[in-house]
Amino acid sequence: MDLQFIATAQEQVRRQRPLVHNITNLVVTNIVANALLAIGASPVMAYAKEEVADVASVSAALALNMGTLDERVVEAMEIAAKAANSKGVPIIFDPVGVGFTAYRNEVATRLINQYELTVVRGNAAEIGYLVGAGGTVKGVDSIDAGDDLTERMLQYAKVQNCVMIATGAIDYVTDGDHVWALHNGDELLGSITGSGCMLTGVIGAFIGVQPRFASRAQIAKASIAAITSYNVAGELAVLASKGPGTLQSKLFDELYHQQGESLVLRGRVEQLY
Amino acid sequence: MDLQFIATAQEQVRRQRPLVHNITNLVVTNIVANALLAIGASPVMAYAKEEVADVASVSAALALNMGTLDERVVEAMEIAAKAANSKGVPIIFDPVGVGFTAYRNEVATRLINQYELTVVRGNAAEIGYLVGAGGTVKGVDSIDAGDDLTERMLQYAKVQNCVMIATGAIDYVTDGDHVWALHNGDELLGSITGSGCMLTGVIGAFIGVQPRFASRAQIAKASIAAITSYNVAGELAVLASKGPGTLQSKLFDELYHQQGESLVLRGRVEQLY
Amino acid sequence: MDLQFIATAQEQVRRQRPLVHNITNLVVTNIVANALLAIGASPVMAYAKEEVADVASVSAALALNMGTLDERVVEAMEIAAKAANSKGVPIIFDPVGVGFTAYRNEVATRLINQYELTVVRGNAAEIGYLVGAGGTVKGVDSIDAGDDLTERMLQYAKVQNCVMIATGAIDYVTDGDHVWALHNGDELLGSITGSGCMLTGVIGAFIGVQPRFASRAQIAKASIAAITSYNVAGELAVLASKGPGTLQSKLFDELYHQQGESLVLRGRVEQLY
């Protein structure tokens, strides 16, 4: 597979500096903003019901992450999602911990049913729960996913008209027609809290530079570019670090300095069907 | 004192990967999660009154930290504490800033009086305030503790049926029968915000792998293991760093790579009486 | 210009360890606390309406940052500001994102009109918006400022009886009588989220060690010292780092180890009129 599109997408983010509106969790607010700055995007974290519609309306993308919910955050997410939908602003949704508590299940279901989501990204167990593939969610860490995960993801993506992404040792992306398996990344990234949440923000930036009402295939391609870009930076950061603490710092350095050629050289994208 | 139990406890945390439910403050949410991941535990940060009972009920331990209170956080803490008590899930309470404002005093008193807390950990001034030993709290930093601190801690632990921990240049632990003085750590840790809050989370993981309804003596031992493990990692991190910023990163690296032998070699635990 | 006063001011912060009460945004709470600890100040982050008056009243300075507003934060800010004003505690206000949403404009206007603010600090576009000099605010990043920025800032400072600070490639400070241009810092600081918010906290510490009811000229001088101190540390941190991730860590190291002589040697302060 020719991976030049990944380098092109990354360059486009740097050039266009998309404004990404994040309603994310309290654990990762700082690092999601830093990941977006490092790739050249412009993050804005805004939570007040008084302003989220204004912010979402003028943003390139809206990223919703339910890591630390409460009723006010949910209210803000719904106002922002409604505004984004009415303006054609793409939404990426990260259903952190879905399958773990009834409250998270209810909120995830509501958001998925009431709003048009462009991308849904979670770990394998979260996505497995959503698409009915089984799997176990322990706290906010994925334990394992069911066997027929990718088939069910594909069906779900087709029915919901969105791109579904399940990340893990291998990352799966489907637009409802095809499924891709992405083989970059490093296990050590799992020992930083929010490594998945940062990726969600980064995908937001990459889909934010696509044309409005891009096809699911285009969105899938932009997501593949985002994931590969993030994971290749992660691999290089692991090489330059001595554990999860220095990895966190080095990850931002690598995202900031990332070269298109290294992306094309190191990227490992496989189309499954 | 034979310190092999410290290495054993640390190994047990890595093997069992205890789920630690944290309701902690806005300043340290990210680093508490990272400290727990680094030692091999599984952190979950959940605050919504709609789900904290569900989360606390299935967790190995509940860590409550009142660094940035508001009425909603307090409500969530009470719901979680009630659920934890009814299931026998151990609770560690960190009364950040108690003695500094009337509001903090009131919340700390209510939590201590209404719920069974397994461990209470604070800096010397906070614990001194609680046990009536005097001392001065300036903001959230300890200034000094009164002279009869350990005697009063021991009485308080006996009456409240909990383990009391006051950390500082020397850390004191008592189960109401004995008092230990722990001599590891480094002053530079005090220039990272939340170094005490991270320790609270880490103690949560160590008491989370004890049998349910463990004795106060067992809980004290697990706490000694947690504090020594954390402080030895801190000492090594100070050696590898050039100031508080790099120390923060190196601390996670050291916790992640910690070897049992180095714990036994470097640990300095003294039984006072 | 003799810059010895910068080294003196920095030394005074370390000696007096001023308590700085921050009501700041969710993105930067941790790093603002760490920046204050690194310079030797004592940060306290307190948000509850039940305690902010108590905290602000005994603090050396109050720093208000509207990066992630909601109605409860605004309520807390007003209670704290009222208490600070009644006790003569200086207030620094950081109007993050003013000009971007109607809600932010309304909150900024209310705080400025109802309370005596000692210092207002923002990026050039935010300050440009406030003083009516034009400029564009995109999210929370400054795009550009209007041409007559410093003249309008000076008038505004005189009328509002405060010190106005607009930071950017060049930082401008005015007390309503004079304008200074500060030439330290490094562009890379802009790729860390919250580099401006940390500076706001640091200015809080420097004005917190001034005599109560210090003149605007004294406050301007303390602010110049704070900005120069912070930016010189930033320059050295950039030299020691490989990107925005390691820069974040090194910044705290440099602030912690900062020497008075290096401040005097590297500082570049120009009085414009």
Side-chain angles (χ1 to χ4, degrees):
Chain A
M1 195 165 173
D2 182 1
L3 300 184
Q4 187 54 47
F5 75 94
I6 299 177
T8 306
Q10 179 234 25
E11 195 44 46
Q12 209 179 338
V13 168
R14 281 195 190 145
R15 209 171 48 241
Q16 294 190 25
R17 207 170 165 68
L19 189 67
V20 181
H21 178 193
N22 299 275
I23 301 182
T24 188
N25 71 68
L26 294 172
V27 188
V28 302
T29 324
N30 179 267
I31 58 174
V32 170
N34 273 331
L36 285 165
L37 284 170
I39 63 169
S42 183
V44 61
M45 312 337 243
Y47 300 86
K49 63 177 188 291
E50 290 86 349
E51 69 173 0
V52 286
D54 289 352
V55 176
S57 298
V58 300
S59 291
L62 171 64
L64 304 177
N65 174 308
M66 63 178 222
T68 52
L69 290 176
D70 68 33
E71 61 197 329
R72 292 153 50 85
V73 168
V74 175
E75 187 187 359
M77 283 183 176
E78 297 211 53
I79 297 171
K82 196 177 163 190
N85 276 175
S86 81
K87 299 281 184 178
V89 173
I91 301 176
I92 176 165
F93 174 50
D94 190 338
V96 180
V98 72
F100 182 51
T101 68
Y103 183 52
R104 289 180 192 233
N105 296 349
E106 179 217 313
V107 171
T109 305
R110 195 175 351 147
L111 288 171
I112 289 171
N113 289 341
Q114 309 243 343
Y115 305 97
E116 290 168 46
L117 306 178
T118 311
V119 178
V120 178
R121 186 216 73 86
N123 62 38
E126 289 157 355
I127 297 300
Y129 177 85
L130 282 182
V131 302
T136 311
V137 180
K138 179 194 178 192
V140 295
D141 294 322
S142 173
I143 299 307
D144 69 286
D147 275 346
D148 55 352
L149 178 65
T150 54
E151 291 86 345
R152 285 183 180 263
M153 282 172 65
L154 183 139
Q155 290 309 321
Y156 194 91
K158 196 179 292 182
V159 171
Q160 294 285 344
N161 189 28
C162 69
V163 167
M164 294 296 291
I165 302 173
T167 53
I170 300 170
D171 309 308
Y172 298 102
V173 177
T174 178
D175 60 358
D177 292 314
H178 299 285
V179 178
W180 293 266
L182 314 184
H183 298 274
N184 290 105
D186 189 288
E187 200 189 353
L188 191 61
L189 286 166
S191 21
I192 306 174
T193 194
S195 53
C197 306
M198 286 188 277
L199 175 55
T200 294
V202 167
I203 297 172
F206 277 70
I207 65 173
V209 296
Q210 301 307 309
R212 286 294 158 92
F213 309 107
S215 67
R216 288 196 312 242
Q218 282 173 296
I219 295 295
K221 225 171 147 184
S223 300
I224 291 169
I227 297 167
T228 303
S229 168
Y230 181 80
N231 278 340
V232 165
E235 291 169 9
L236 296 170
V238 167
L239 293 177
S241 66
K242 294 185 175 160
T246 43
L247 174 58
Q248 171 75 84
S249 300
K250 293 291 182 183
L251 179 60
F252 298 135
D253 288 3
E254 294 293 341
L255 287 169
Y256 183 81
H257 288 298
Q258 191 161 68
Q259 302 292 323
E261 312 94 89
S262 110
L263 274 176
V264 176
L265 271 172
R266 297 185 71 105
R268 292 172 61 206
V269 178
E270 178 193 8
Q271 185 169 334
L272 292 187
Y273 38 87
Chain B
M1 195 165 174
D2 182 1
L3 300 185
Q4 187 54 46
F5 75 97
I6 299 178
T8 306
Q10 179 235 25
E11 195 45 46
Q12 209 180 340
V13 168
R14 281 194 190 146
R15 209 171 47 241
Q16 295 189 24
R17 207 170 164 68
L19 189 68
V20 181
H21 178 193
N22 298 275
I23 302 182
T24 188
N25 71 67
L26 295 172
V27 188
V28 303
T29 324
N30 180 267
I31 57 174
V32 170
N34 274 329
L36 284 166
L37 284 171
I39 63 168
S42 183
V44 61
M45 313 335 244
Y47 300 87
K49 64 176 186 292
E50 290 87 349
E51 69 172 1
V52 286
D54 289 351
V55 176
S57 297
V58 299
S59 291
L62 171 65
L64 304 176
N65 174 308
M66 63 178 223
T68 53
L69 288 177
D70 68 32
E71 60 197 329
R72 292 153 49 86
V73 168
V74 175
E75 186 189 359
M77 283 182 177
E78 296 211 53
I79 296 171
K82 197 177 163 190
N85 276 175
S86 80
K87 299 281 184 178
V89 173
I91 302 175
I92 175 163
F93 174 51
D94 190 338
V96 180
V98 72
F100 183 50
T101 68
Y103 182 51
R104 289 178 192 234
N105 296 349
E106 179 218 314
V107 172
T109 305
R110 193 175 352 146
L111 289 171
I112 290 169
N113 289 341
Q114 309 243 345
Y115 305 97
E116 290 168 47
L117 306 178
T118 311
V119 178
V120 177
R121 187 217 72 86
N123 62 38
E126 289 158 354
I127 297 300
Y129 177 85
L130 283 183
V131 301
T136 312
V137 180
K138 179 194 178 192
V140 294
D141 294 321
S142 173
I143 298 307
D144 69 285
D147 276 346
D148 54 355
L149 178 64
T150 54
E151 290 86 346
R152 285 185 180 262
M153 281 173 65
L154 182 139
Q155 290 309 319
Y156 194 91
K158 195 179 294 182
V159 171
Q160 293 285 343
N161 188 28
C162 68
V163 166
M164 294 296 291
I165 303 173
T167 54
I170 299 170
D171 308 308
Y172 299 103
V173 176
T174 178
D175 61 359
D177 292 313
H178 299 285
V179 178
W180 293 267
L182 315 183
H183 300 275
N184 290 103
D186 190 289
E187 200 190 353
L188 191 60
L189 286 166
S191 22
I192 305 175
T193 193
S195 53
C197 306
M198 286 188 277
L199 176 55
T200 294
V202 167
I203 298 172
F206 277 70
I207 65 174
V209 296
Q210 301 308 309
R212 286 293 159 91
F213 309 107
S215 67
R216 289 197 311 242
Q218 281 173 295
I219 294 294
K221 224 170 149 186
S223 301
I224 291 169
I227 297 167
T228 303
S229 168
Y230 181 81
N231 278 340
V232 166
E235 290 170 9
L236 296 171
V238 167
L239 294 177
S241 67
K242 293 184 175 163
T246 43
L247 174 58
Q248 171 75 85
S249 300
K250 294 288 183 186
L251 179 60
F252 298 135
D253 288 2
E254 294 293 342
L255 286 169
Y256 183 81
H257 288 297
Q258 191 160 69
Q259 302 293 323
E261 312 94 89
S262 111
L263 274 175
V264 176
L265 271 172
R266 297 185 70 105
R268 292 173 61 206
V269 178
E270 177 192 9
Q271 184 168 334
L272 292 187
Y273 38 87
Chain C
M1 195 165 174
D2 181 0
L3 300 185
Q4 187 54 46
F5 75 96
I6 299 177
T8 306
Q10 179 236 25
E11 194 45 45
Q12 209 178 339
V13 168
R14 281 195 190 146
R15 209 171 47 241
Q16 294 189 26
R17 206 169 168 66
L19 189 67
V20 181
H21 178 193
N22 298 274
I23 301 182
T24 188
N25 70 68
L26 294 172
V27 189
V28 303
T29 323
N30 179 267
I31 57 174
V32 170
N34 273 330
L36 285 165
L37 284 171
I39 64 169
S42 183
V44 62
M45 310 340 241
Y47 301 87
K49 63 178 189 290
E50 289 86 349
E51 69 173 359
V52 287
D54 288 351
V55 176
S57 298
V58 299
S59 291
L62 171 64
L64 304 176
N65 174 307
M66 63 177 221
T68 51
L69 289 177
D70 67 33
E71 61 197 329
R72 292 153 49 87
V73 168
V74 175
E75 187 188 358
M77 283 182 176
E78 297 210 55
I79 296 171
K82 195 176 164 193
N85 277 177
S86 82
K87 298 281 183 178
V89 173
I91 301 175
I92 175 163
F93 174 50
D94 190 337
V96 180
V98 72
F100 182 50
T101 67
Y103 182 52
R104 289 179 192 234
N105 297 349
E106 180 217 313
V107 171
T109 306
R110 193 175 353 147
L111 288 171
I112 289 170
N113 288 342
Q114 308 244 344
Y115 305 97
E116 291 168 46
L117 306 178
T118 311
V119 177
V120 178
R121 187 215 73 86
N123 62 37
E126 289 157 354
I127 297 301
Y129 177 85
L130 283 182
V131 302
T136 312
V137 179
K138 179 193 178 193
V140 295
D141 293 321
S142 173
I143 300 304
D144 69 286
D147 275 347
D148 55 353
L149 178 65
T150 54
E151 290 85 347
R152 284 184 181 262
M153 280 173 65
L154 182 140
Q155 290 309 319
Y156 193 92
K158 195 179 295 180
V159 171
Q160 293 285 344
N161 188 29
C162 68
V163 166
M164 294 295 291
I165 303 174
T167 53
I170 300 170
D171 309 308
Y172 298 102
V173 176
T174 177
D175 61 358
D177 292 313
H178 300 286
V179 179
W180 294 267
L182 315 184
H183 299 274
N184 290 102
D186 190 289
E187 200 189 352
L188 191 61
L189 286 167
S191 21
I192 304 175
T193 194
S195 52
C197 305
M198 286 188 277
L199 176 54
T200 294
V202 167
I203 298 172
F206 277 70
I207 66 174
V209 296
Q210 301 308 309
R212 287 292 159 93
F213 309 107
S215 67
R216 288 196 313 241
Q218 282 173 295
I219 294 295
K221 225 171 148 185
S223 301
I224 291 168
I227 297 167
T228 302
S229 168
Y230 181 80
N231 278 339
V232 165
E235 291 170 9
L236 296 171
V238 168
L239 293 177
S241 66
K242 294 186 173 161
T246 42
L247 174 58
Q248 172 74 83
S249 300
K250 294 288 183 185
L251 179 60
F252 298 134
D253 288 2
E254 293 293 341
L255 286 169
Y256 184 80
H257 288 297
Q258 190 160 69
Q259 302 292 323
E261 312 93 89
S262 111
L263 274 176
V264 177
L265 271 172
R266 298 186 70 105
R268 292 173 61 207
V269 178
E270 178 193 9
Q271 183 168 335
L272 292 186
Y273 39 87

